[in-house]
Structure formats: C-alpha cells, structure tokens
Amino acid sequence: MTKTMSSDDYEQVAKEMRAWLNSQPHLPQDVSDGMLCRFAHSCYYDMEGAKSAADTYFTLRRDYPQLFTDRDPDSPHMKKFISAVNLAHLELSERRKLWIWQLNDPNLEHYELTLDAKFHLLVNDCWFLANEERFYESDIYMLVDFKDIVSIKVFTKLNMLAARVLSKYQREAVPVRLKQLHIVNASFVARKAFALVKKFFSKDVNDMIHFHEANSTTLHNFFNEDELPSDYGGTRPSMKTFMVETMKLINDKRYDKNTN
C-alpha cells in the first residue's frame, strides 16, 4: 500500500471519516474506505479539511450532473471528443505522479470545454477506482499541452459554467496533492484563452502555473528526460501510446458506479 501511515493509522482515519459521512444525509454512503482516506491524505491529514473536500466533491457531483453523467466513451459525442485528446498518468520517482492532457485537434472540430470536463472527470473517477490505496507524496504535476490552440476559434468552445465547476473541483475537492501546473506550447491565443478561466482558480493554484513556449526546453528544468513522453523530448513512449492505456483503464472500469 503506497502511503505514509501505518495500517492502524489508516483504519483510524477511515473510521473517523466514515463516522462523519454517516452523519451527512445529503452525501452518498457507499464510499470506500480507500476513497475516504484519499481525502485525508490529500489534505495532509487535516481531518476537517478532508471532510470539507469530500463534501464539496460529492456535492458537485449532485449539483452538476451534466458533467458527471452521459459520459459513455462509446457514445457518439464522447467518441468524437476522445479522438481529439491524449491523456497519460505517469509514475515518477520520489512517489510523484504526472498527469498529462494533450490536445490533438488542429482545427478544433471536436473540442468542447464541456466534453473536456466530462472526460477529465471520467478519467479521474476511473483512476481513483483502480488505485484506491495508492497515495502519492507529490500527487500530481499536471502538464497541459495547448499545441493546437492557435486559432481564435477556441473562444467559441469555452463554457464558463464548466470552467467554474472544473476549477472548483481542482481547487477544493479533488483528493490529490497538486504541486505544479505546466502549460506547454503556450501560444498567444492559448494564453488569452487561459486568462479567461484562470480567474476561477485560487491564488495558490495560479502561483503553481508555469508557461513553456513552443520549441523551448524550459520543461526540462522540472523533469528529467526519462520522466517525459517522447512528445516532450523524453525517452518514454509517445502520448498516443499512453492514450491506449488510458482507454483500457476506462473500459475496465466503465460499468463501475459513477463512471457512466
């Protein structure tokens, strides 16, 4: 079990979180011990913070079902969107994890922020289901590749409601230890598009953001070559290869609760 606490500590944390959950009739009760402990871990075992994060996490799912349902990867609207992105979840040294989102839609024909939010949340759900007790010390370094955002057409693809919900999820609810956010291939248009949604993020999250221009090597100031896919000058396989693994994860978990 990849975590810093002992089995006894794990049981105690799960017990306290379970007792709290049982006292919250507005929240779902069929939450695993692993997921409850994930909230505690992500908040560095500040139990009140963990309860607040869990409350926000499940309340968002209840209040914005349009982002957490109708996400079948074989449905026509999701298949079109999925063809436009590559996602990867990579293990790094020192108990770190790197999540990468890469746009692969030069004409932005299939991209929509609402579908992006649906897919992002679906992948998170599937990963949490498959890795309930794998906790990372520096949980996520999120790398977002805006290589295809070079046209002002992107502004027609934005949805402020989806942006607000997704930012609240990242800021207050998702049970991970977010450390850095890297925006790569950051064109002028991509920066302007990001400026429209960054106001929804907290100052702490905005302070984590690092921009990397196209064809620059600044990303290597943060990551070694053996930690990155070949798309970013690394020695690991390509993002296309990792996307195959992501889709396998989704298909393995697609019939589990809360993933469709």
Side-chain angles (χ1 to χ4, degrees), residues 170-221:
Q170 295 287 7
R171 184 178 68 247
E172 302 177 20
V174 62
V176 299
R177 292 180 175 180
L178 181 62
K179 297 292 187 178
Q180 299 177 20
L181 175 60
H182 295 273
I183 311 296
V184 302
N185 292 314
S187 67
F188 174 79
V189 173
R191 285 176 179 265
K192 289 295 184 182
F194 191 80
L196 290 177
V197 298
K198 69 177 292 186
K199 62 185 178 182
F200 299 123
F201 291 97
S202 67
K203 182 181 184 301
D204 288 345
V205 172
N206 279 313
D207 287 345
M208 297 178 187
I209 298 171
H210 304 271
F211 286 95
H212 305 275
E213 302 291 340
N215 302 314
S216 73
T217 60
T218 55
L219 192 62
H220 294 269
N221 295 334

Side-chain angles (χ1 to χ4, degrees), residues 23 35 37 67 118 126 148 160 178 187 196 219 231 235:
S23 71
M35 191 65 181
C37 286
L67 298 181
K118 280 178 179 281
C126 291
D148 285 334
M160 291 301 103
L178 181 62
S187 67
L196 290 177
L219 192 62
D231 308 55
T235 58

Side-chain angles (χ1 to χ4, degrees), residues 118-150:
K118 280 178 179 281
F119 190 59
H120 173 80
L121 296 167
L122 171 63
V123 173
N124 279 13
D125 287 347
C126 291
W127 193 88
F128 291 145
L129 283 169
N131 299 275
E132 284 194 336
E133 296 179 352
R134 300 193 70 176
F135 307 150
Y136 292 85
E137 194 60 35
S138 296
D139 208 302
I140 296 182
Y141 291 66
M142 187 174 292
L143 189 154
V144 182
D145 187 347
F146 280 169
K147 66 185 177 68
D148 285 334
I149 299 184
V150 296

Side-chain angles (χ1 to χ4, degrees), residues 37-68:
C37 286
R38 182 175 291 282
F39 286 107
H41 175 81
S42 69
C43 294
Y44 298 88
Y45 303 104
D46 171 359
M47 299 306 291
E48 293 309 308
K51 294 167 188 176
S52 176
D55 193 314
T56 302
Y57 179 90
F58 292 112
T59 299
L60 286 175
R61 301 183 77 94
R62 181 197 66 201
D63 291 349
Y64 299 97
Q66 63 269 42
L67 298 181
F68 292 92

